[in-house]
Each structure stands twice: as structure tokens, then as C-alpha cells.
């Protein structure tokens, strides 16, 4: 349970909020490279942490993320002309480069130097792993680029998608932290989805009463969920949570690894990023085809948008017959939309004063606490955790251990990203 003030603190991420100040200390994945495919391509409207911005790629391929609105009289530069090293406002021709610097004010004499005094807000961008990242904090605090394993793999080994989710980022991320829901919400799919069925992991999740052991890691939490396996043994699923908004899903069999980033658009919307990757092999045509069709934990989108085809306006295409017959547990098809439907149903920002938490929510309690602590620390001038690339070089894992053996010491190796070594997964 969180009192209203505490809930405000962890869910509000706009400029001037403590959580907003914390999140601005991290690199933020915000566009697929394919959204800005080539020099001088059309710009893209971006809303991040409640700021309205515009991303573009100039004639030399340089990336810019600048204030969406022209410094002259506030026209949206989305209507601008991307030409010859800058973006030109279509109203009176003021032109800006990728740093937001005004390059030209056609009405004023060049000698006046007027345009040099005009500069739009801008944030630095970097491109890694097929994703464009922004840093929105103070330049002096800029951390190294994140070092998630999927970012440095060959493009053939990964598949990245994003979808718009119509709720606050925290309740979406809490779904990624909470692996106890898998035995219910996703139970129908574990035996039918092409990327889950037939694995031992899908079989062991019939035990619907996992016991959790949560351990602080340098970058966040190792979340161990233990279920009964063969006599005297436990089946462990280890989820990683990495500050501030990354989760890694425990794997199944030889399937690829999966991770998410839950990035606030504003306080009532977020982007759910999904990263699927295999550290030692290319993804197969069958896997890619399944994901493109919304399989695994990806989803089908309305063409030309990032809005899922099943969304709150059509009740996520709920199928009560499928629910009754257990083909899907909730009646909503697909793991991603099962998650989105329940998380969005909590309302744009969940009222955590009304919740009743139980022991399987321990990891959620710890993550909230860690975020809150970090936000307060940053407000006191301290450096936030998980900026160091080592914090990102972790993996989710699944394995069986004899009862009584602590997972984090027995399988320390399995929790680290190791180049050229296959994931630990059953
Ligand atoms: S409003 Fe942009 S140039 Fe006038
Ligand atoms: Fe889920």
C-alpha cells in the first residue's frame, strides 16, 4: 500500500518532479532506428517524461532531439522541412540544427547575428542495437551508454519492438517484476504459444504457489521465484529488474531471452519496449515470423502506429468462449495484451492506497522502495545507482536446484551475461 503522496512521488515523471529528475539521469530508449531510417527523412514527434520533443536525422545522418516548437511563434516543427543540415520551420523559414541552435532567420540581416542568440532545448542522442537513445539530464552528469547484452549482438540475433501502453509506467513495470501472475494470466498460452509450448518451464508453472526470494543486485534486484519440481528439487525462475525501468523475463528452453523497458511518455502513458535476443545464435525465420505476427511477448500493431490492434477501445477483443474453455486464461489473446489489458484496467495511475499486497508482491515493494530512495538521493545531490555498464550485464535464467540450495550463490554464473555462452534455461 502506498499513501497518495508516496504514490505521487514514484509515478510522476514530468520536469521538476523528484522521479523525473532521477529518470533524467539515465539514457532513455525512445525510437527504433527504423523510425528515422535515413538522412533528411521526415521528423518524428516524441513525447518523453511529459516533454514534447521532435526527433530528426539531418543531411549528414546526425540525430537531433529538440523542442517540438519553433522559437519564433511556436509552430510545431513536425511540419518542418528537413533540408541541408537542419530543420526549417514552414511558417517563416527559421532553421535549426540537431543541437537546437538556430542557423537562419531569413527576415533578419545576417550581420545582425540575431539567429545565434536563438537556441531550442535539445538532448543528445546515440544509436545502439537498432534503438535511438536520448539523455535528458544535465550534460555534466551524462553516464556511459548502457551495456545490455542485446545491444552489442549482431542484428540477426535480436528482434526489438515497442508498443504504446495506456497507463503509468510503474504499474506496467510492476507486471514485469511480478512473475507470480504467469501461472494464471498466461497459463493458457504457455502450452500453445510457439515460443513457449513444450518446454519444461511451461510444465513446472502448473505449481501456482511460487515462493519468492528477492536479493538486491548492484543494478536492481534478482527476483527468484521457486516452484516445486521433482521430489526434493525446486524449479527456479530468476527475473532481473534493473534500475530504473528494465525487466528481464525468465527464459524457456532454448528459446531466446526477453527483456522489457517501460518508458514514460507522460504520467498516463508509456512505451513498452520488448527486446528478444539469443546470445549465441541468430533468431530463426520461424521465430521472427512468429514475433512479427505478434507471437511471444510482442504484439500486433495498428499499421503505421505503435498502438496494439487489441486495445482498450475494443476491450482487447476479449473472447469469453476462449476464457471459458481455458484456451486463454483471461479471454484476451497473446501474452503482451494479456499484460496490457490488466495493467491498463487499473486506471491511468493505479491508486495504491487501495491495494492489499501479499508475499508474492515482495519484489514490487522492494523496487518501489529502491526507486523512491534513489529519487530522494538524487534530490540530495547524490549519484543514482545502476549507471555503470556492469549493472546491465545480467541475464534472467531458469534452472532446477536441490531444495535448500540458495540460488544466487549456487548459480551466480547463470545470472551474468557471458559472451559466447548460452543462457541457462530449461
Ligand atoms: S513560427 Fe516558426 S518561423 Fe515563424
Ligand atoms: Fe505477463
Amino acid at each position: 500500500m502506498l499513501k497518495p503522496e508516496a504514490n505521487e512521488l514514484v509515478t510522476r515523471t514530468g520536469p521538476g518532479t523528484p522521479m523525473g529528475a532521477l529518470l533524467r539521469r539515465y539514457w532513455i530508449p525512445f525510437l527504433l532506428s527504423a523510425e528515422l531510417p535515413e538522412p533528411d527523412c521526415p521528423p518524428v514527434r516524441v513525447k518523453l517524461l511529459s516533454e514534447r520533443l521532435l526527433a530528426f536525422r539531418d543531411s549528414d545522418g546526425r540525430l537531433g532531439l529538440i523542442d517540438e516548437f519553433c522559437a519564433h511563434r511556436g509552430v510545431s516543427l513536425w511540419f518542418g522541412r528537413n533540408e541541408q543540415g537542419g530543420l526549417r520551420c514552414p511558417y517563416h523559414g527559421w532553421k535549426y540544427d540537431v543541437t537546437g541552435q538556430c542557423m537562419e532567420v531569413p527576415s533578419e540581416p545576417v550581420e545582425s547575428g540575431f539567429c545565434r542568440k536563438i537556441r531550442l532545448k535539445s538532448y543528445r542522442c546515440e544509436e545502439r542495437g537498432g534503438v535511438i537513445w536520448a539523455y535528458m539530464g544535465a550534460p555534466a552528469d551524462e553516464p556511459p551508454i548502457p551495456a545490455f547484452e542485446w545491444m552489442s549482438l549482431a542484428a540477426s540475433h535480436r528482434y526489438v519492438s515497442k508498443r504504446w501502453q495506456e497507463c503509468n509506467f510503474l504499474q506496467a513495470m510492476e507486471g514485469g517484476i511480478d512473475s507470480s501472475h504467469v501461472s494464471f494470466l498466461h497459463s493458457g498460452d504457455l502450452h500453445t504459444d510457439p515460443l513457449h509450448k513444450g518446454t519444461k518451464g511451461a510444465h513446472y508453472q502448473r505449481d501456482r504457489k511460487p515462493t519468492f526470494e528477492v536479493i538486491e543486485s548492484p543494478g536492481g534486484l534478482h527476483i527468484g521465484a521457486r516452484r516445486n519440481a521433482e521430489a526434493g528439487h525446486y524449479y527456479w525462475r530468476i527475473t532481473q529488474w534493473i534500475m530504473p525501468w528494465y525487466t528481464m523475463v525468465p527464459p524457456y528452453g532454448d528459446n531466446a531471452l526477453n527483456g522489457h523497458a517501460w518508458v514514460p511518455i507522460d504520467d498516463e502513458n508509456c512505451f513498452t519496449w520488448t527486446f528478444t535476443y539469443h546470445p549465441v545464435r541468430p533468431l530463426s525465420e520461424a521465430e521472427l515470423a512468429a514475433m512479427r505476427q505478434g507471437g511471444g511477448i510482442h504484439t500486433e500493431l495498428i499499421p503505421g502506429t505503435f498502438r496494439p490492434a487489441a486495445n482498450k477501445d475494443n476491450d482487447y477483443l476479449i473472447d469469453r468462449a476462449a476464457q471459458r474453455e481455458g484456451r486463454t486464461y483471461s479471454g484476451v489473446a497473446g501474452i503482451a495484451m494479456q499484460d496490457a489489458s490488466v495493467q491498463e484496467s487499473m486506471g491511468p495511475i493505479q491508486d495504491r492506497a487501495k491495494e492489499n499486497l501479499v508475499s508474492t508482491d515482495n519484489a514490487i515493494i522492494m523496487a518501489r522502495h529502491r526507486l523512491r530512495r534513489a529519487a530522494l538521493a538524487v534530490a540530495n545531490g547524490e549519484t543514482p545507482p545502476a549507471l555503470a555498464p556492469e549493472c546491465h550485464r545480467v541475464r534472467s535464467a531458469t534452472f532446477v536446484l536441490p531444495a535448500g540450495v540458495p540460488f544466487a550463490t549456487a548459480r551466480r554464473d547463470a545470472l551474468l551475461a557471458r559472451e559466447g555462452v548460452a543462457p541457462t534455461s530449461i
Side-chain angles (χ1 to χ4, degrees):
M1 196 272 267
L2 287 185
K3 293 204 177 106
E5 318 80 76
N7 202 32
E8 286 269 302
L9 181 90
V10 287
T11 54
R12 306 285 174 176
T13 65
T17 61
M19 191 55 62
L22 172 67
L23 298 182
R24 282 167 175 75
R25 297 293 293 271
Y26 299 88
W27 282 95
I28 307 172
F30 77 101
L31 287 184
L32 292 161
S33 292
E35 291 179 76
L36 289 176
E38 60 198 13
D40 287 339
C41 61
V44 177
R45 290 186 192 98
V46 172
K47 196 174 189 196
L48 264 186
L49 310 182
S50 300
E51 293 186 42
R52 287 186 62 173
L53 304 164
L54 193 77
F56 71 106
R57 201 187 283 273
D58 76 4
S59 314
D60 297 324
R62 292 182 304 166
L63 291 163
L65 180 62
I66 63 175
D67 196 326
E68 181 184 339
F69 303 101
C70 181
H72 180 211
R73 277 170 39 216
V75 162
S76 170
L77 292 168
W78 182 78
F79 292 96
R81 303 171 55 88
N82 194 358
E83 56 183 27
Q84 294 157 341
L87 194 65
R88 193 184 288 281
C89 178
Y91 210 7
H92 315 93
W94 292 28
K95 184 176 176 182
Y96 304 90
D97 71 12
V98 288
T99 69
Q101 178 61 51
C102 185
M103 306 162 73
E104 225 182 297
V105 174
S107 62
E108 300 301 299
V110 178
E111 318 79 77
S112 74
F114 176 76
C115 79
R116 284 204 299 276
K117 291 179 222 145
I118 306 288
R119 187 171 184 146
L120 294 174
K121 168 170 82 179
S122 77
Y123 298 120
R124 246 174 53 66
C125 299
E126 289 282 348
E127 203 168 4
R128 295 281 193 294
V131 171
I132 303 175
W133 304 71
Y135 173 68
M136 295 172 69
D141 293 329
E142 186 183 301
I145 300 285
F148 293 100
E149 189 172 21
W150 59 268
M151 296 171 69
S152 53
L153 294 175
S156 57
H157 289 43
R158 64 164 187 262
Y159 180 81
V160 178
S161 74
K162 70 171 191 185
R163 61 177 165 83
W164 169 27
Q165 183 158 337
E166 298 175 63
C167 69
N168 185 264
F169 87 105
L170 186 66
Q171 72 208 48
M173 182 169 78
E174 287 177 351
I177 290 174
D178 153 34
S179 84
S180 70
H181 76 269
V182 177
S183 297
F184 295 89
L185 185 63
H186 306 313
S187 55
D189 300 70
L190 293 182
H191 305 289
T192 53
D193 181 83
L195 302 186
H196 292 83
K197 67 179 177 189
T199 59
K200 272 206 119 161
H203 168 76
Y204 289 133
Q205 293 208 66
R206 290 187 180 152
D207 176 359
R208 289 179 159 178
K209 287 198 177 147
T211 302
F212 279 79
E213 265 177 47
V214 189
I215 293 171
E216 290 227 0
S217 67
L221 301 171
H222 301 309
I223 303 158
R226 172 189 104 189
R227 289 175 169 84
N228 290 322
E230 288 72 26
H233 288 74
Y234 290 131
Y235 165 64
W236 285 94
R237 295 175 56 75
I238 317 299
T239 301
Q240 300 281 356
W241 174 63
I242 303 119
M243 300 229 1
W245 46 44
Y246 300 97
T247 51
M248 293 180 184
V249 188
Y252 292 87
D254 181 42
N255 288 323
L257 297 173
N258 281 299
H260 289 296
W262 316 87
V263 177
I265 294 171
D266 55 29
D267 291 342
E268 300 189 348
N269 296 274
C270 64
F271 270 121
T272 301
W273 285 83
T274 303
F275 313 105
T276 298
Y277 58 103
H278 202 294
V280 297
R281 66 164 172 84
L283 301 178
S284 69
E285 270 316 310
E287 285 171 320
L288 289 167
M291 291 187 282
R292 287 191 197 110
Q293 288 164 19
I297 56 172
H298 299 267
T299 200
E300 187 191 337
L301 301 172
I302 296 170
T305 76
F306 290 97
R307 193 174 199 214
N311 56 58
K312 69 176 182 185
D313 290 343
N314 54 30
D315 281 330
Y316 311 89
L317 306 171
I318 192 167
D319 177 346
R320 295 288 178 184
Q323 186 187 58
R324 230 178 354 257
E325 292 156 19
R327 279 180 280 128
T328 58
Y329 191 74
S330 75
V332 171
I335 292 170
M337 295 324 294
Q338 287 159 5
D339 284 327
S341 58
V342 297
Q343 292 157 9
E344 292 178 1
S345 77
M346 298 165 170
I349 303 179
Q350 186 204 346
D351 178 356
R352 291 178 174 78
K354 292 184 181 158
E355 67 186 5
N356 292 284
L357 299 180
V358 291
S359 64
T360 55
D361 299 314
N362 275 350
I364 290 174
I365 296 170
M366 288 172 75
R368 289 178 188 171
H369 185 65
R370 196 117 191 236
L371 283 171
R372 181 186 143 84
R373 220 165 61 208
L376 297 176
V378 164
N380 277 328
E382 291 170 36
T383 303
L387 295 180
E390 299 80 75
C391 296
H392 311 141
R393 295 199 188 100
V394 292
R395 275 187 192 162
S396 56
T398 51
F399 42 77
V400 170
L401 282 178
V405 175
F407 80 86
T409 39
R411 296 314 312 267
R412 225 183 99 70
D413 57 331
L415 305 181
L416 296 173
R418 290 165 299 158
E419 211 182 316
V421 178
T424 303
S425 174
I426 61 170

